[in-house]
Amino acid sequence: MDKKVYVPDPSVSRKSHISSMKQYEDMYKHSIDNPEEFWGEIAKQFHWETEPSKFLSYNFDITKGPISIKWMEGATTNICYNLLDRNVKNGHGDKIAFYWEGNDPEDYSRLTYKKLLEEVCRFANVLKSKGVSKGDRVAIYMPMILEVVIAMLACSRIGAVHTIVFAGFSADSFAERMLDAKCKVLITTDGVWRGPKLICLKEICDAAMERCKNLGHEVKNCIIVEHLPRLSVSQNRNGTTKENGDTSPEKNKIPWTEGRDFWWHEEMEDASTSCYPVWVGAEDPLFMLYTSGSTGKPKGVLHTVAGYLLYAATTFKYVFDYRPGDVYWCTADVGWITGHTYVVYGPLANGATSVLFEGTPFYPGNSRYWEVVDKYRVNKFYTAPTALRALMKFGDGPVKKHSLSTLQVLGSVGEPINPEAWLWYYVVIGHEKCSIVDTYWQTETGGHLLTPLPGCTPMKPGSATFPFFGVVPVLLDENGKEIRGPGEGYLAFKRPWPGIMRTLFGNHERFETTYFKKFPGCYCTGDGARRDEDGYFWITGRVDDMLNVSGHLLSTAEVEATLSAHPNVAEAAVVSHGHPIKGECLYCFVTPNEGVKFSKELTDELKKKVREKIGPFATPEVIQHAPGLPKTRSGKIMRRILRKVAQNDRNIGDISTLADEGIIEVLFQNRIEIK
Ligand code: WTA
């Protein structure tokens, strides 16, 4: 499968911005030879209140001093102005910015650019009335509804820094992030339906705010969108029980703290629809977003205004080959970086029309995605391999009922796409005429780094192919020596592109050690990659103690810490294990305390604990009894051996440093097969 190359269909190439590899190579060369000119040209389409004094300055080499990256220093602008006011001024005020499609197919609405601008201004005024000003952090814990976009852009309009936490994180994880960011205000909703399940977000927020307060930080205000009562009656009435057994979500019946909590609609009522944008510096913070760190403590990745705008806009335009008139749909949640760059900032910077989807691929049936594609005549579709694999399970039937004839570009993100899923996407969804863009990137990189371009790049299933403009990938061996030509090594990048993060919030030193220390002069991704004879890149997966469950990055250390915190647990070790749908899953080894029986009750409790502490997506697949763990004589857990046990691979290699060999056989005997 590795060998076959899929040439873009002429129906896509004919119209695409970049239609040949020659054109790509010329533009790529220009972007590398003269980044100032390349990005400077792109910057011209946007509004700069003042022009930059220097276009690019950076130090990527830690041996020469602190790492710093600055694009368009000295310029001032406002990203919200560029996304909304500029498009309205250019005559796109009546164009649809978002079609909103609710969890229930009966719930849908739409918002034009003009209306979006008005709502954003109103909410920016609300934020101001709550004392939010430039540089303040605002926490957002919301489902995929129009107000989440309004909230984000209202922050950026007044120079406040949004910190979105995916509304699937537990109260504890959420609190940890709000505490680190010292968020002043929190924006949420009463609740949300996810498929047939009701989740009371405000209750989780209350628990998180309470926890912050106990730890010395008070979130001053909480603004709540009243979402549930406006949903279609059927959805509220057919009320499958929510987790705590309560059924009907009644208006206003949510926990409330007078003086701290405010209804969104009440605050918006008298707010003015005009709000002058705050002109901020090119390198002022735009948002922060937490991502897992291998030590277990989440990292507050910080992105800044100008570079992020240029990169989000440009990658969106070329990678999805955006053209006016397109309807674009990215299924990612705004709680992740994909939702930031490719649901909100990238599409709006291009004046695009997008679908904003609240639901899941499986509700009310397994053809929901394809229904939505046909309903809005989606041309460009962007989703994750884990969703594709989960849908493939149901066969081609649910797809075949839909035409999908409008599709032209199909994107994939978040994890390596296995060739089977790629082919299914290509053949069954794309009818062998769409270009597939397998986009490799990270929260830290702000936008795509390695990706095919539609109508241009010949595709190989499972390969993220070649670098985007301005991006210089290298493969390095353990000693930092560059591997040229075909080979495999650490994937790193040699110079900054505009969208790269600038620091980790409040911890520049951790930023430098995590990404720039191992290979001085390079940004180190933590991923491994292979380059084949044709120069194509293939991501081989994480090289650190991180794993990717259904596209969510998790650290094994974080889960280990949660398991070990249980009073009956002596020790725990967690490794990643392949999973047919999730890509990877958590395989945990737990040693109970002396005298404690390893029982189903204990494993159930542990799973529950991880769900509560981190979030449901982190639930361990397997918890295996480990009377002892394989350790080196110096006491380090040898996770390499645990991975072999999980895989039932007896070929465990060198164990000369192991303190007690006997434990290995016991672990193999206790092994649990993943269903
Ligand atoms: C993985 C998501 C292979 C990778 C945008 C990376 C991928 C991590 C791909 C970042 C891809 C993302 N092929 N692996 N196309 N896209 N990854 O920060 O391990 O949530 O380091 O950003 O996902 O995950 P993050």
PDB file of all heavy atoms in Angstrom, residues 86 160 172 189 293 303 431 533 582:
ATOM      1  N   ARG A  86     -13.135  44.050   8.508  1.00  0.00           N
ATOM      2  CA  ARG A  86     -12.508  44.105   7.183  1.00  0.00           C
ATOM      3  C   ARG A  86     -13.375  43.390   6.149  1.00  0.00           C
ATOM      4  O   ARG A  86     -13.601  43.897   5.043  1.00  0.00           O
ATOM      5  CB  ARG A  86     -11.115  43.458   7.252  1.00  0.00           C
ATOM      6  CG  ARG A  86     -10.257  43.596   5.997  1.00  0.00           C
ATOM      7  CD  ARG A  86      -8.927  42.871   6.192  1.00  0.00           C
ATOM      8  NE  ARG A  86      -9.142  41.461   6.509  1.00  0.00           N
ATOM      9  CZ  ARG A  86      -9.115  40.475   5.608  1.00  0.00           C
ATOM     10  NH1 ARG A  86      -8.866  40.744   4.344  1.00  0.00           N
ATOM     11  NH2 ARG A  86      -9.349  39.228   5.981  1.00  0.00           N
ATOM     12  N   ALA A 160      -8.075  40.924  25.221  1.00  0.00           N
ATOM     13  CA  ALA A 160      -8.046  39.929  26.294  1.00  0.00           C
ATOM     14  C   ALA A 160      -7.614  38.582  25.695  1.00  0.00           C
ATOM     15  O   ALA A 160      -7.709  38.384  24.486  1.00  0.00           O
ATOM     16  CB  ALA A 160      -9.414  39.813  26.948  1.00  0.00           C
ATOM     17  N   ASP A 172     -11.597  19.149  37.929  1.00  0.00           N
ATOM     18  CA  ASP A 172     -10.226  19.266  38.461  1.00  0.00           C
ATOM     19  C   ASP A 172      -9.254  19.752  37.399  1.00  0.00           C
ATOM     20  O   ASP A 172      -8.451  20.651  37.636  1.00  0.00           O
ATOM     21  CB  ASP A 172      -9.728  17.911  38.978  1.00  0.00           C
ATOM     22  CG  ASP A 172     -10.273  17.626  40.360  1.00  0.00           C
ATOM     23  OD1 ASP A 172     -11.083  18.441  40.849  1.00  0.00           O
ATOM     24  OD2 ASP A 172      -9.887  16.598  40.949  1.00  0.00           O
ATOM     25  N   THR A 189     -22.062  27.487  29.433  1.00  0.00           N
ATOM     26  CA  THR A 189     -23.504  27.374  29.193  1.00  0.00           C
ATOM     27  C   THR A 189     -24.117  26.570  30.330  1.00  0.00           C
ATOM     28  O   THR A 189     -23.390  25.951  31.109  1.00  0.00           O
ATOM     29  CB  THR A 189     -23.837  26.625  27.880  1.00  0.00           C
ATOM     30  OG1 THR A 189     -23.456  25.255  28.042  1.00  0.00           O
ATOM     31  CG2 THR A 189     -23.130  27.193  26.683  1.00  0.00           C
ATOM     32  N   GLY A 293       1.700  17.782  28.942  1.00  0.00           N
ATOM     33  CA  GLY A 293       3.161  17.792  28.979  1.00  0.00           C
ATOM     34  C   GLY A 293       3.646  16.457  29.504  1.00  0.00           C
ATOM     35  O   GLY A 293       2.926  15.800  30.255  1.00  0.00           O
ATOM     36  N   HIS A 303       0.013  31.800  21.962  1.00  0.00           N
ATOM     37  CA  HIS A 303       0.123  32.296  20.589  1.00  0.00           C
ATOM     38  C   HIS A 303      -0.095  33.805  20.569  1.00  0.00           C
ATOM     39  O   HIS A 303      -0.861  34.334  21.378  1.00  0.00           O
ATOM     40  CB  HIS A 303      -0.894  31.602  19.679  1.00  0.00           C
ATOM     41  CG  HIS A 303      -0.495  30.199  19.333  1.00  0.00           C
ATOM     42  ND1 HIS A 303       0.484  29.918  18.418  1.00  0.00           N
ATOM     43  CD2 HIS A 303      -0.921  28.995  19.811  1.00  0.00           C
ATOM     44  CE1 HIS A 303       0.636  28.601  18.324  1.00  0.00           C
ATOM     45  NE2 HIS A 303      -0.196  28.013  19.165  1.00  0.00           N
ATOM     46  N   HIS A 431     -15.219   9.401  -3.357  1.00  0.00           N
ATOM     47  CA  HIS A 431     -15.522   8.879  -4.695  1.00  0.00           C
ATOM     48  C   HIS A 431     -14.313   8.946  -5.629  1.00  0.00           C
ATOM     49  O   HIS A 431     -14.458   9.204  -6.828  1.00  0.00           O
ATOM     50  CB  HIS A 431     -16.712   9.638  -5.321  1.00  0.00           C
ATOM     51  CG  HIS A 431     -17.963   9.500  -4.501  1.00  0.00           C
ATOM     52  ND1 HIS A 431     -19.056  10.294  -4.660  1.00  0.00           N
ATOM     53  CD2 HIS A 431     -18.297   8.654  -3.501  1.00  0.00           C
ATOM     54  CE1 HIS A 431     -20.005   9.962  -3.785  1.00  0.00           C
ATOM     55  NE2 HIS A 431     -19.548   8.961  -3.087  1.00  0.00           N
ATOM     56  N   GLU A 533      12.179   7.396  -0.214  1.00  0.00           N
ATOM     57  CA  GLU A 533      13.047   7.684  -1.370  1.00  0.00           C
ATOM     58  C   GLU A 533      12.560   8.897  -2.167  1.00  0.00           C
ATOM     59  O   GLU A 533      13.344   9.574  -2.831  1.00  0.00           O
ATOM     60  CB  GLU A 533      13.133   6.524  -2.378  1.00  0.00           C
ATOM     61  CG  GLU A 533      13.101   5.092  -1.873  1.00  0.00           C
ATOM     62  CD  GLU A 533      11.878   4.755  -1.055  1.00  0.00           C
ATOM     63  OE1 GLU A 533      10.753   4.785  -1.607  1.00  0.00           O
ATOM     64  OE2 GLU A 533      12.037   4.460   0.156  1.00  0.00           O
ATOM     65  N   LYS A 582      -9.444   3.989  18.447  1.00  0.00           N
ATOM     66  CA  LYS A 582      -8.860   5.182  19.084  1.00  0.00           C
ATOM     67  C   LYS A 582      -7.438   5.473  18.622  1.00  0.00           C
ATOM     68  O   LYS A 582      -6.863   6.486  18.991  1.00  0.00           O
ATOM     69  CB  LYS A 582      -8.854   5.002  20.599  1.00  0.00           C
ATOM     70  CG  LYS A 582     -10.233   4.803  21.183  1.00  0.00           C
ATOM     71  CD  LYS A 582     -10.138   4.515  22.672  1.00  0.00           C
ATOM     72  CE  LYS A 582     -11.530   4.320  23.267  1.00  0.00           C
ATOM     73  NZ  LYS A 582     -11.452   3.944  24.682  1.00  0.00           N
TER      74      LYS A 582
END
